[in-house]
Amino acid sequence: MRRTTKGNSHSPPAPTPAGPDPGAAEGPGGLLRAQVQALLRSGLFDPAFYAAAAGEVFPDRRAAARALLTTGMTAGLPPTPLLSLGSLPKPMDKAWRRGQFRKVLEFLSAPEQAEFVTGPLFDSGRYLRTLPAGTDLEGLSPLGHFLTHATPDTPLPLPGADRDRVLTLGDAREALIDHAGLVVAQEHDAIGRDLSYQDAAPLPLDEPVRLWSAGPGGPLVSIITPWRDQHFARETALLIAQEQELQRWELLFVGDEAGPAVMHDGRVRCVRTLPGEDWRNRGLDEAEAPYAAFLTRGHWWRPGYLRSALKRLIGTGRESGYAAVLQHDPEGRSTVQAGYGDLATLRSGGRVDLGALVCSTAAAREVGGFNAALGVGADVDFALKLASRGPTEAFPFIASERLTPAAVMRRSTAAGADGDWLDVLGRAWVDWDRVRADVPQRVPGRLSVVIPTYRDSTMTIDAARTLLATTSLPDVEINILDNGSPFSVAQDLIAAFLGERRVRYRRLPVNLNFAIGCNIGFAQSSGDTVLFLNNDTVSTSDWLPGVVAALDDPSVAGAQPVLLYPDGTVQTAGTVFPADNGLACHFLPNCSIEQAQIVGEMRFSAVTAAAMVMRAVDVARLEGFDAHYVNGMEDVDLCLRALELHPGGFRVIPTSTLTHLEGKTAGRSHRIPQNRVFFWERWNGRVPGPELDLYVRAGFRIERIEYDDVAIPSPRPVLAPAESADLPR
């Protein structure tokens, strides 16, 4: 695991004097020493940058170079902020990740690579043309020569469309070193990593057990467990409690059954729940101890767990703590889920195992307990509310061993099973009350573009650059939301727009998907109009003014351009509901742009969020996209909710066209069945349609409707000219 680096110097590295490494050919480490010398001689190595990217502190340049050669290259870390691994041809990228530094160096130094662009910040050809004729590169690559001779004030030879932008080496380097440190810190905030067993410390046993044994003063902890859970044996719960080295506990069986009158231990109570009452909240209401722990299905607490947990909480004065869990799956594999629980780590992953959480009973009551309406997200919501009051103690030990039943493992693929969790996580990132309160302060006439992206820099950079290059709108800002892309992708994205005041880049610690990414991007934007834009779009004309102007009509909820495939045919000219009480589909796919001109006279129930313009006040009022959807159908859902504010619907502007590389973005289709189930549970019987008149006005009739093979099928109308087919009944 990488550590956050502190105290690294941001001064440019001094060039290493030429000369052979005296020990390069001696001993078993001779080859590595020779490679270290070659790396330092190349001019390509920036020790401070690499230290920040690796999250390490090195004693000297050679130690940092050895680390890059032995571990950094295979981890995909570059040696300098001016070399993007994504710019390398695939064979060279593979060579780098295999630790073949000399092979990559030979490629960069080859005469035929004189025009090679090493990333968003360096154009070899442009640099070479600034040198006097006959300049000796001293055996270095163009990038190595530049880095060896440049000062912090030297302007970078930026490539392509950025030639007119002035950015110095010092400014770029400092920004990218800082960003590298941010990425490392975010990785440390990620929750739920699978660790080896050795990574979790054993339970500390330095406190005499007798100090925590039963005695006067009542229980220290209330163990709350569900009585109605038939999968958890009552006798097992009592045995786990009785085995605890801390004996000052009470055990509350909570459920809608009467329970046994006596369980042969005076510390046991049975608590009845009222109809619809949550067992966790009922247990907190009845708890008499100052601390509460939740013994949930599948957990077998280790004997020292409660003693160690309370010792840490009492010693630190913190209100809650979260431990590690050793999980066993049905196939016999075991992993340790790390016990991280502060606000940052919860927002970075949000998965909470209630059986590893101990908290102050008073604090649990003050935050309102559990919101049972959130389903599986209730535990995350509860932990977030506790963490918002102060730091959560990350217990450095394993709380329990947990057998993960197959049914529980399958739950993650069931419809809506983790939608509630995602919704809670989304609200932890966006304070919608504040967003709504800030709407009057948004800049009138400014268009805020929100582009979410994941594991891509090339398409995202093209989408933002082509939009800025083609638009005539006077006030446009672009907000790029990076959903936790790998280090090299993140570096390319920030490097591409350093010094560009119209573009703001933000990296999230993990992939929070399209809906949450868009909502976070919207929350940080400042314009009174917002454009949600896919990163796989390319602007070839000034299409924005026409789409934004559609909002001049107060009855219009939003608008989109006509989206085209790269071959110029229509990808979508709106979103329609062609069947009675059915799902939506694209309008006029594969038709010509001439055939789509009629859409300018139509109103639609929905448009695509691949390029959707709405008023900021409406997005804030509707609280953006619903995070229950994972990369699909969240746009149709938002549009249907927006119709309640603007019954005039949505417009499609045929004179505005945008190329959409549909299907190029990774991870966009694996949740189709779950998204449809959730959509149908909300909108069944309330969707528009059949909207057959739109086809008739466009000169078509539906010859038949085909469907895909998903449980809730999506329609695929087969069109025919209006005179050659009858309308289906």
Side-chain angles (χ1 to χ4, degrees), residues 342-353:
D342 62 19
L343 187 60
T345 59
L346 286 169
R347 294 204 320 166
S348 300
R351 299 186 184 275
V352 172
D353 191 331

Side-chain angles (χ1 to χ4, degrees), residues 672-686:
I672 287 176
Q674 294 90 335
N675 290 333
R676 292 183 187 178
V677 168
F678 183 78
F679 179 88
W680 209 239
E681 289 175 349
R682 172 176 290 177
W683 295 104
N684 184 18
R686 298 191 295 130

Side-chain angles (χ1 to χ4, degrees), residues 434-498:
R434 174 173 293 183
V435 170
R436 283 188 290 271
D438 290 344
V439 164
Q441 281 72 53
R442 285 180 170 260
V443 180
R446 174 174 295 172
L447 176 69
S448 293
V449 184
V450 177
I451 305 178
T453 185
Y454 177 57
R455 301 185 71 89
D456 168 79
S457 58
T458 302
M459 288 191 300
T460 306
I461 293 170
D462 286 347
R465 282 180 171 169
T466 58
L467 186 72
L468 292 175
T470 56
T471 187
S472 61
L473 290 179
D475 194 356
V476 175
E477 68 170 13
I478 294 180
N479 298 273
I480 297 176
L481 255 295
D482 179 359
N483 265 309
S485 295
F487 179 87
S488 58
V489 173
Q491 287 289 107
D492 285 354
L493 286 169
I494 192 172
F497 299 106
L498 285 175

Side-chain angles (χ1 to χ4, degrees), residues 498-659:
L498 285 175
E500 172 54 79
R501 62 175 182 80
R502 296 173 295 176
V503 179
R504 289 193 290 178
Y505 167 81
R506 180 176 181 180
R507 183 184 186 271
L508 304 179
V510 290
N511 182 11
L512 298 177
N513 300 317
F514 180 84
I516 298 179
C518 283
N519 291 344
I520 295 173
F522 168 72
Q524 75 173 28
S525 68
S526 61
D528 65 349
T529 307
V530 60
L531 165 68
F532 297 105
L533 185 69
N534 273 20
N535 72 315
D536 56 349
T537 55
V538 180
S539 299
T540 58
S541 62
D542 187 16
W543 62 274
L544 270 177
V547 178
V548 173
L551 298 184
D552 293 341
D553 183 345
S555 70
V556 172
Q560 71 159 82
V562 173
L563 270 65
L564 304 177
Y565 288 116
D567 64 3
T569 59
V570 173
Q571 184 249 328
T572 179
T575 300
V576 295
F577 294 84
D580 184 24
N581 199 32
L583 298 181
C585 65
H586 292 322
F587 189 54
L588 303 183
N590 301 308
C591 290
S592 68
I593 185 61
E594 291 76 20
Q595 291 172 306
Q597 291 302 304
I598 188 64
V599 298
E601 304 172 8
M602 301 176 180
R603 296 292 179 96
F604 292 85
S605 301
V607 291
T608 175
M612 177 171 67
V613 171
M614 292 182 66
R615 300 175 184 86
V617 64
D618 293 338
V619 177
R621 182 175 176 183
L622 296 168
E623 299 189 352
F625 296 98
D626 192 323
H628 284 85
Y629 299 98
V630 179
N631 301 335
M633 303 196 73
E634 56 271 277
D635 51 357
V636 179
D637 177 272
L638 177 59
C639 289
L640 293 182
R641 289 186 283 127
L643 286 180
E644 300 174 2
L645 305 179
H646 300 279
F650 292 81
R651 289 195 59 197
V652 178
I653 311 302
T655 54
S656 297
T657 60
L658 176 67
T659 300

Side-chain angles (χ1 to χ4, degrees), residues 39 173 208 224 246 363 396 402 406 453 528 567 595 623 667 669 695:
L39 173 60
R173 182 172 174 272
I224 302 171
L246 166 66
R402 182 175 189 269
T453 185
D528 65 349
D567 64 3
Q595 291 172 306
E623 299 189 352
S669 61
Y695 290 97

Side-chain angles (χ1 to χ4, degrees), residues 113-115 122-132 137 142 145:
Q113 303 304 328
E115 299 293 325
F122 188 80
D123 184 331
S124 299
R126 186 181 181 195
Y127 170 64
L128 293 176
R129 286 188 285 275
T130 65
L131 300 177
L137 294 184
H145 187 271

